[in-house]
C-alpha cells in the first residue's frame, strides 16, 4: 500500500515534464513550448531566435571547436566563450616565461592576437527536417542492418546534394533515437585567434574543489576572434585575413539580472540519455560510474601530486588534468543526484504506467508487450562488454599517453612491410612525422609511467582474458616491473631516443618498432578492443538501437501527457528557464547569485585553488566597479537558473527576454548533472558567469577596455 502511494507521488513528478525541461531545436519549437516561453517572459519572437533569410540570434551562436559553445559580441568577430573551453589553447601558448595560464593574456591590438592552428568555429546557417526523404523508400520489413545501409546511402546522397547547392558543410543527425532526421548546414571558420584570458586565479577560481559546485565565484570566460578572408568567408590562417563580420552579434545587457528573470540558453549540448530504462540507469549507477571513478582516481592521484610539486608540470599537465577531473567529479555528482532523487523509482513508475496502459489497449499490447523486457535483457547481456569497453577507454584513451603516441607508427610499420611502397615514400613519411616537439613539450615520462602503474592493476583484474598481457610480461615480473621495463626500453618515451632512432632509418628497422614494448602493448590493447570487445558490443548495440527507437515512439504515443524534447546530440538547441535559487538539501537554501565579496571570503593564500590576484583585491577594496556594479553597488559574479543544459553548453550565451546577452553558461550544480539522465526542476540549475563580471575583468582588471568598446552595451 505504502509502496503504491509513493509510486503515485513519484510518478506524477516524473510524468509531468517541468515547464523548463527540454532542449529544443531552433525553428521547430511547437506552440505548447513557445507558449511556455512566452508565459515565462520571453519578448523576442521565434523568428528572432531562428530565421534563414534574415539575420537572427542563431547567427551569433557559434560551435566552438566542436566541444563548446561561444557567442559573437561585436561586428568584428569578437567571440566569448568559457575559460575552460579556451583552456588548452591558452595552455599551448604558455611557457614558464610567458605563463598565460597563471598571469592571463590580453592582446592590446589585432596584431597581438594569437593564432590557433587546427581550431575551428562553426555557425549554423540552416536546419532542415529530412525525415521523409531519409525514410522514404525504406521497407517496413527492413532488418536493422538493411536500415543502417539504407540510411547511410540515402543520407550520403542528400548531404552531397545540399553541399552542391550551398557550398557549405552539411551533416545529418538522428533525433528521437532515429524517429526524426535533421540536416544541418554550417559555415566553418578555421582562423580563430586568442584575444584574451584572465589568469586562472579568476577564470578557474576554486579549481577542482569548486567545479560543479554552487555557490560559485569563477570568472569562467576567455576571448577569441574569428577571422575571414576579404570576402568575409572562411579561410585558413593568413596575415591577409580580417576580423569576420557576422550577420548578427548579441548586444550586451549591463542592467543586471534579477530573480525570476527569463533566461534562454542557446548552444550545443553534447549528450543526454533522458529516455533510458530503469535497468540501464541502474547499470550506469552501480557498475559503469564506479569503474570510471576508480580508474580516474588512480590517474588523478599521480597527476595532482606531480602538479603540486613542480611549476613546469603544472603547465604541462594543466589541460590533461582538467580533461580527466571534469567528468570524474561530474559522475560523482550525477550518482548522488540520481540516488537522492530516486530516479530508479521514477523510471520504474513510468515503465509501470506504460505497461498498465498498453495492457488496456489491444493494439498497443500486441506491439509493445515484450518491449521493456527485451530492452532489459539486451542491456544486461551487453553489460560485461560495456564494462570492458569502459576500462579500455579509461586506460587507453584517458590513461598513459604513450599508448596513443605510438599509434601513428603503426602506419609506418605497415608501409615498411608493403613491398609496393618505395623507400622514398617511407622517407617522406618519416620527414613528415619527425617533429614531435609539441607532444614532448607537455610529456613527462615518469608521470606517464606512474599513471600506467596506478591503473594497470584494475585494468588487468577486470580484463581476465589477458593472454595478451601475459605474453608480454615474464612470469617472474610483477606488473610494476613490467611497466618500469616498458618505459626503460621504449624508444617512444623520449624525444632524443626517437630522433636518433629515425636518423638514418632503414626499412628493416620496422622490426625494432614492432618489438618496442610500448608499441606492442598499445597495439595489443587496441587489437583486443577492435577484435573482441567492439564486434561483440556492436551486435547488442544494433539491437538496442532499434528497441530504443521503438521505445521512444511508443512512449510518445502511450504517455502523451509528457512533452518530449530530443536528447542532446551535439546539435544547436534552445533551452529556457528563469533565474532562481534552490534548496540543495533539507534546511538549506541557495541564493541565485554570488558576488566579489564571496571571492574574498573564499580567499586562502596557502591554497593555490583560492589565490586572489592583487589587482582584483585592490579593485574590490576601492569598490571600483564602474558601470558594471549591480544597482545595490555590489559586483555580481555568477548566477543560477533553471535551464536544462549539458556538457557542450559551456560558453553558451545566456540571453534575456529581449535577446541581449546577460551571461555565459559554464557549469551545473553538482546534483544537476543528473539532468543528463533525468531533469529535476526542483534542483537542476545551470551556472553562468554574469556578463558584467566579464566586462569588469576585461576593462578594470586587465585594462582591455578597447574590447568592451567593440560591444554594444544596453544600459537602460
Ligand atoms: N561544465 C560543463 C561543460 O564543460 C557544462 C555542463 O556540463 O553543464 O560543458
Amino acid at each position: 500500500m505504502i509502496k503504491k502511494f509513493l509510486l503515485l507521488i513519484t510518478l506524477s513528478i516524473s510524468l509531468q515534464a517541468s515547464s523548463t525541461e527540454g532542449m529544443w531545436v531552433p525553428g521547430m519549437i511547437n506552440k505548447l513550448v513557445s507558449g511556455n516561453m512566452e508565459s515565462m517572459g520571453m519578448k523576442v519572437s521565434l523568428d528572432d531566435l531562428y530565421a534563414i533569410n534574415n539575420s537572427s540570434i542563431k547567427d551569433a551562436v557559434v560551435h566552438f571547436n566542436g566541444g563548446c559553445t561561444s557567442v559573437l559580441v561585436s561586428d568584428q568577430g569578437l567571440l566569448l566563450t568559457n575559460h575552460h573551453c579556451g583552456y588548452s589553447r591558452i595552455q599551448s601558448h604558455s611557457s614558464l616565461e610567458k605563463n598565460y595560464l597563471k598571469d592571463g593574456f590580453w592582446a592590446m591590438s589585432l596584431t597581438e592576437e594569437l593564432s590557433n592552428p587546427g581550431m575551428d568555429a562553426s555557425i549554423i546557417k540552416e536546419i532542415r527536417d529530412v525525415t521523409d526523404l531519409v525514410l522514404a523508400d525504406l521497407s517496413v520489413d527492413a532488418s536493422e542492418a538493411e536500415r543502417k545501409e539504407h540510411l547511410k546511402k540515402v543520407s550520403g546522397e542528400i548531404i552531397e546534394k545540399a553541399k552542391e547547392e550551398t557550398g557549405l558543410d552539411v551533416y545529418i543527425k538522428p533525433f528521437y533515437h532515429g524517429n526524426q532526421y535533421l540536416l544541418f548546414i554550417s559555415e566553418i571558420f578555421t582562423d580563430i585567434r586568442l584575444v584574451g584570458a584572465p589568469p586562472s586565479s579568476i577564470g578557474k577560481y576554486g579549481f577542482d574543489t569548486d567545479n560543479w559546485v554552487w555557490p560559485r565565484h569563477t570568472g569562467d570566460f576567455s576571448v577569441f576572434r574569428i577571422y575571414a578572408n576579404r570576402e568575409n568567408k572562411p579561410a585558413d590562417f593568413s596575415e591577409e585575413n580580417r576580423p569576420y563580420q557576422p550577420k548578427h552579434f548579441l548586444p550586451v545587457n549591463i542592467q543586471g539580472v534579477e530573480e525570476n528573470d527569463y533566461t534562454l540558453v542557446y548552444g550545443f549540448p553534447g549528450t543526454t540519455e533522458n529516455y533510458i530504462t530503469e535497468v540501464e540507469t541502474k547499470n550506469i549507477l552501480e557498475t559503469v560510474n564506479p569503474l570510471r571513478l576508480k580508474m580516474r582516481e588512480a590517474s588523478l592521484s599521480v597527476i595532482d601530486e606531480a602538479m603540486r610539486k613542480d611549476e613546469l608540470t603544472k603547465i604541462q599537465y594543466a589541460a590533461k588534468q582538467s580533461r580527466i577531473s571534469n567528468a570524474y567529479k561530474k559522475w560523482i555528482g550525477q550518482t548522488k543526484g540520481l540516488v537522492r532523487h530516486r530516479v530508479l523509482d521514477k523510471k520504474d513508475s513510468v515503465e509501470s504506467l506504460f505497461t498498465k496502459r498498453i495492457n488496456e489497449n489491444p493494439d498497443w499490447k500486441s506491439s509493445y508487450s515484450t518491449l521493456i523486457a527485451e530492452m532489459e535483457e539486451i542491456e544486461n547481456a551487453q553489460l560485461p562488454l560495456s564494462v570492458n569497453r569502459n576500462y579500455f577507454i579509461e586506460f587507453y584513451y584517458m590513461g598513459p599517453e604513450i599508448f596513443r603516441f605510438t599509434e601513428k607508427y603503426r602506419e609506418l610499420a605497415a608501409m615498411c612491410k608493403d613491398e609496393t611502397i618505395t623507400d622514398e615514400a617511407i622517407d617522406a613519411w618519416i620527414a613528415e612525422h619527425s617533429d614531435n616537439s609539441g607532444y614532448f613539450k607537455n610529456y613527462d615520462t615518469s608521470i606517464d609511467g606512474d599513471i600506467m602503474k596506478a591503473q594497470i592493476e584494475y585494468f588487468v583484474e577486470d580484463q581476465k582474458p589477458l593472454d595478451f598481457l601475459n605474453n608480454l610480461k615474464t612470469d617472474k615480473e610483477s606488473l610494476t616491473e613490467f611497466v618500469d621495463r616498458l618505459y626503460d626500453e621504449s624508444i617512444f618515451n623520449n624525444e632524443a631516443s626517437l630522433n636518433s632512432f629515425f636518423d638514418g632509418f632503414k626499412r628493416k628497422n620496422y622490426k625494432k618498432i614492432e618489438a618496442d614494448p610500448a608499441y606492442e602493448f598499445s597495439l595489443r590493447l587496441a587489437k583486443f578492443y577492435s577484435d573482441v570487445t567492439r564486434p561483440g558490443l556492436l551486435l547488442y548495440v544494433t539491437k538496442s538501437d532499434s528497441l530504443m527507437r521503438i521505445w521512444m515512439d511508443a512512449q510518445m504515443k502511450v504517455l502523451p501527457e509528457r512533452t518530449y524534447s530530443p536528447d542532446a546530440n551535439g546539435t544547436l538547441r534552445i533551452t529556457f528557464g528563469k533565474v532562481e535559487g534552490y534548496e540543495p538539501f533539507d534546511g538549506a537554501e541557495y541564493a541565485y547569485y554570488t558576488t566579489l565579496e564571496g571571492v574574498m571570503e573564499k580567499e586562502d593564500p596557502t591554497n593555490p585553488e583560492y589565490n586572489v590576484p592583487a589587482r582584483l583585491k585592490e579593485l574590490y577594496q576601492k569598490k571600483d566597479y564602474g558601470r558594471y556594479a549591480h544597482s545595490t553597488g555590489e559586483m555580481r559574479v555568477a548566477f543560477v537558473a533553471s535551464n536544462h543544459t549539458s556538457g557542450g553548453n559551456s560558453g553558451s550565451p545566456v540571453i534575456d527576454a529581449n535577446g541581449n546577452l546577460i551571461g555565459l553558461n559554464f557549469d551545473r550544480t553538482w546534483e544537476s548533472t543528473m539532468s543528463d539522465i533525468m531533469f529535476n526542476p526542483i534542483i537542476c540549475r545551470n551556472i553562468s558567469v554574469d556578463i558584467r563580471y566579464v566586462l569588469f575583468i576585461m576593462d578594470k582588471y586587465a585594462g582591455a577596455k578597447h574590447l568592451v568598446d567593440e560591444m554594444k552595451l544596453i544600459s537602460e
Side-chain angles (χ1 to χ4, degrees):
M1 185 66 197
I2 291 182
K3 176 141 199 252
K4 268 222 170 107
F5 175 68
L6 281 177
L7 218 77
L8 268 178
I9 298 184
T10 52
L11 181 61
S12 61
I13 296 170
S14 45
L15 266 187
Q16 160 211 31
S18 81
S19 56
T20 66
E21 178 176 351
M23 303 171 162
W24 306 99
V25 179
M28 295 179 195
I29 296 178
N30 67 35
K31 282 242 158 10
L32 184 71
V33 175
S34 65
N36 276 341
M37 295 165 95
E38 278 155 24
S39 67
M40 285 181 66
M42 185 171 82
K43 305 232 170 51
V44 291
S45 69
L46 292 182
D47 285 346
D48 294 329
L49 291 173
Y50 173 91
I52 310 171
N53 298 324
N54 306 317
S55 69
S56 64
I57 291 173
K58 83 150 178 20
D59 300 314
V61 184
V62 182
H63 207 178
F64 187 80
N65 212 26
C68 278
T69 306
S70 53
V71 56
L72 286 156
V73 288
S74 87
D75 61 2
Q76 294 299 301
L78 197 66
L79 200 61
L80 297 181
T81 187
N82 291 149
H83 187 263
H84 79 265
C85 295
Y87 200 63
S88 59
R89 300 294 154 176
I90 306 166
Q91 191 260 343
S92 72
H93 293 293
S94 291
S95 59
L96 281 174
E97 298 73 45
K98 290 183 182 168
N99 194 339
Y100 300 143
L101 284 177
K102 182 159 172 274
D103 305 324
F105 165 78
W106 298 96
M108 289 302 164
S109 65
L110 291 183
T111 52
E112 288 176 16
E113 296 178 359
L114 301 174
S115 75
N116 296 288
M119 221 191 123
D120 65 52
S122 68
I123 301 175
I124 300 293
K125 293 283 177 190
E126 192 180 339
I127 306 174
R128 293 180 193 164
D129 189 337
V130 290
T131 315
D132 290 346
L133 284 175
V134 169
L135 300 180
D137 299 320
L138 181 67
S139 148
V140 276
D141 304 319
S143 68
E144 206 50 33
E146 285 163 350
R147 183 185 168 95
K148 280 216 163 99
E149 197 47 42
H150 173 90
L151 292 178
K152 202 169 145 205
K153 180 170 164 281
V154 177
S155 304
E157 287 163 8
I158 299 172
I159 289 172
E160 273 321 304
K161 215 164 142 208
K163 274 189 182 162
E164 256 167 49
E165 176 200 328
T166 60
L168 295 169
D169 189 68
V170 179
Y171 53 93
I172 293 179
K173 290 254 186 156
F175 285 69
Y176 296 107
H177 298 275
N179 286 290
Q180 187 185 34
Y181 288 86
L182 301 183
L183 173 139
F184 294 79
I185 301 172
S186 73
E187 190 162 38
I188 305 181
F189 294 85
T190 49
D191 186 355
I192 318 298
R193 302 190 197 169
L194 177 64
V195 175
S200 296
S201 52
I202 292 175
K204 215 171 156 42
Y205 188 66
F207 287 72
D208 282 350
T209 306
D210 276 12
N211 196 14
W212 304 108
V213 165
W214 182 257
R216 190 69 160 274
H217 297 87
T218 316
D220 195 346
F221 76 95
S222 57
V223 193
F224 287 76
R225 193 187 301 280
I226 301 181
Y227 280 74
N229 66 16
R230 282 167 190 274
E231 286 74 48
N232 203 32
K233 294 279 173 243
D236 285 341
F237 174 83
S238 154
E239 302 283 353
E240 305 292 299
N241 287 349
R242 302 163 168 194
Y244 168 62
Q245 294 176 341
K247 263 173 93 179
H248 185 75
F249 65 89
L250 288 194
V252 179
N253 174 359
I254 58 164
Q255 294 166 99
V257 174
E258 303 292 348
E259 191 158 23
N260 290 324
D261 277 358
Y262 177 78
T263 50
L264 183 145
V265 173
Y266 215 146
F268 293 84
T271 311
T272 58
E273 302 176 298
N274 286 160
Y275 303 103
I276 58 174
T277 58
E278 184 202 354
V279 170
E280 191 170 347
T281 312
K282 188 164 180 279
N283 287 343
I284 292 175
L285 270 178
E286 293 175 3
T287 309
V288 176
N289 277 357
L291 87 79
R292 290 157 152 177
L293 292 176
K294 193 168 72 181
M295 290 295 273
R296 287 192 185 208
E297 249 152 44
S299 57
L300 283 171
S301 63
V302 173
I303 297 175
D304 286 346
E305 200 194 327
M307 284 175 75
R308 263 195 304 275
K309 283 198 206 138
D310 183 63
E311 215 36 49
L312 178 63
T313 311
K314 215 186 250 173
I315 299 173
Q316 289 177 317
Y317 278 75
K320 296 178 226 179
Q321 196 275 355
S322 291
R323 195 166 74 100
I324 301 169
S325 68
N326 192 42
Y328 165 74
K329 197 166 174 194
K330 177 177 112 161
W331 290 324
I332 299 177
Q334 183 184 67
T335 304
K336 278 187 180 193
L338 292 172
V339 171
R340 189 153 175 272
H341 296 279
R342 300 178 48 211
V343 168
L344 293 182
D345 286 348
K346 289 176 186 165
K347 294 261 178 197
D348 179 52
S349 56
V350 171
E351 288 163 28
S352 302
L353 182 66
F354 178 85
T355 307
K356 180 171 171 287
R357 290 213 184 140
I358 63 166
N359 282 335
E360 289 159 3
N361 177 320
D363 283 349
W364 287 344
K365 194 169 174 191
S366 75
S367 309
Y368 306 132
S369 63
T370 57
L371 181 59
I372 294 177
E374 273 184 80
M375 291 177 80
E376 283 181 11
E377 198 186 314
I378 296 280
E379 172 57 29
N380 285 330
Q382 62 83 48
L383 188 61
L385 285 166
S386 155
V387 164
N388 227 268
R389 174 173 172 269
N390 277 289
Y391 269 113
F392 176 71
I393 293 172
E394 293 304 323
F395 194 42
Y396 186 90
Y397 283 111
M398 304 301 296
E401 287 176 89
I402 203 163
F403 290 145
R404 275 115 51 216
F405 181 65
T406 63
E407 264 178 15
K408 68 177 176 197
Y409 296 97
R410 290 176 203 161
E411 188 184 358
L412 178 63
M415 284 170 74
C416 293
K417 284 191 273 188
D418 183 342
E419 281 162 15
T420 64
I421 297 203
T422 62
D423 287 354
E424 288 69 41
I426 289 170
D427 289 346
W429 190 99
I430 291 172
E432 195 192 327
H433 294 87
S434 63
D435 184 8
N436 292 302
S437 54
Y439 170 78
F440 282 107
K441 173 176 170 257
N442 291 325
Y443 178 77
D444 181 315
T445 178
S446 78
I447 297 176
D448 210 49
D450 285 347
I451 294 173
M452 194 184 288
K453 280 182 202 164
Q455 290 189 321
I456 195 167
E457 303 267 358
Y458 294 134
F459 184 77
V460 169
E461 195 181 313
D462 176 73
Q463 316 260 316
K464 286 284 184 285
L466 264 188
D467 48 327
F468 61 83
L469 180 60
N470 293 333
N471 293 340
L472 270 175
K473 90 185 209 8
T474 67
D475 283 347
K476 287 189 219 94
E477 220 173 21
S478 70
L479 282 174
T480 308
E481 285 161 348
F482 163 70
V483 175
D484 279 337
R485 182 168 57 80
L486 182 147
Y487 281 87
D488 280 351
E489 289 176 9
S490 176
I491 51 164
F492 294 105
N493 77 349
N494 90 63
E495 198 175 0
S497 65
L498 197 62
N499 288 345
S500 74
F501 177 72
F502 282 112
D503 253 0
F505 180 86
K506 300 261 163 359
R507 190 174 196 127
K508 61 177 193 289
N509 291 355
Y510 80 86
K511 290 194 176 136
K512 286 198 182 138
I513 297 181
E514 289 190 332
D516 185 278
Y519 178 93
E520 193 177 12
F521 192 18
S522 166
L523 183 62
R524 281 190 196 228
L525 289 171
K527 267 184 82 55
F528 184 71
Y529 177 72
S530 63
D531 294 353
V532 181
T533 313
R534 193 162 177 275
L537 257 181
L538 275 180
L539 295 177
Y540 290 115
V541 169
T542 307
K543 183 72 187 144
S544 64
D545 280 356
S546 99
L547 291 172
M548 192 64 197
R549 187 174 67 248
I550 299 168
W551 170 231
M552 189 74 238
D553 185 49
Q555 287 181 85
M556 289 159 99
K557 287 187 182 124
V558 176
L559 307 169
E561 57 273 58
R562 182 171 179 188
T563 39
Y564 293 89
S565 88
D567 265 325
N569 58 1
T571 58
L572 186 60
R573 304 294 177 90
I574 286 172
T575 79
F576 62 97
K578 61 179 180 180
V579 176
E580 52 180 328
Y582 68 108
E583 292 176 17
F585 40 82
D586 188 35
E589 204 179 326
Y590 281 160
Y592 70 89
Y593 67 92
T594 57
T595 66
L596 195 52
E597 201 78 37
V599 174
M600 296 309 302
E601 273 170 20
K602 281 182 177 170
E603 189 199 13
D604 178 357
T606 65
N607 179 350
E609 295 193 323
Y610 295 103
N611 286 347
V612 180
R615 169 86 187 128
L616 187 58
K617 280 198 254 189
E618 194 184 309
L619 292 164
Y620 165 74
Q621 268 138 19
K622 290 194 197 137
K623 302 278 171 283
D624 184 3
Y625 307 147
R627 55 190 165 161
Y628 313 114
H630 195 66
S631 53
T632 51
E634 66 204 347
M635 184 72 239
R636 297 259 172 115
V637 172
F639 61 89
V640 278
S642 49
N643 299 67
H644 187 178
T645 55
S646 186
N649 268 125
S650 279
S652 296
V654 186
I655 298 171
D656 70 8
N658 298 309
N660 303 317
L661 187 66
I662 47 175
L664 297 175
N665 181 79
F666 70 93
D667 212 359
R668 283 169 288 164
T669 61
W670 222 7
E671 295 82 357
S672 305
T673 55
M674 67 179 272
S675 69
D676 284 349
I677 290 179
M678 184 180 273
F679 182 81
N680 182 338
I682 310 292
I683 51 127
C684 286
R685 298 288 177 272
N686 60 312
I687 308 178
S688 305
V689 54
D690 193 310
I691 202 65
R692 294 167 300 171
Y693 191 55
V694 172
L695 302 193
F696 160 74
I697 296 293
M698 276 184 196
D699 177 350
K700 296 275 180 178
Y701 174 86
K705 181 167 175 292
H706 61 288
L707 298 177
V708 179
D709 290 342
E710 270 189 48
M711 303 178 202
K712 182 174 162 196
L713 303 194
I714 312 273
S715 53
E716 53 190 51

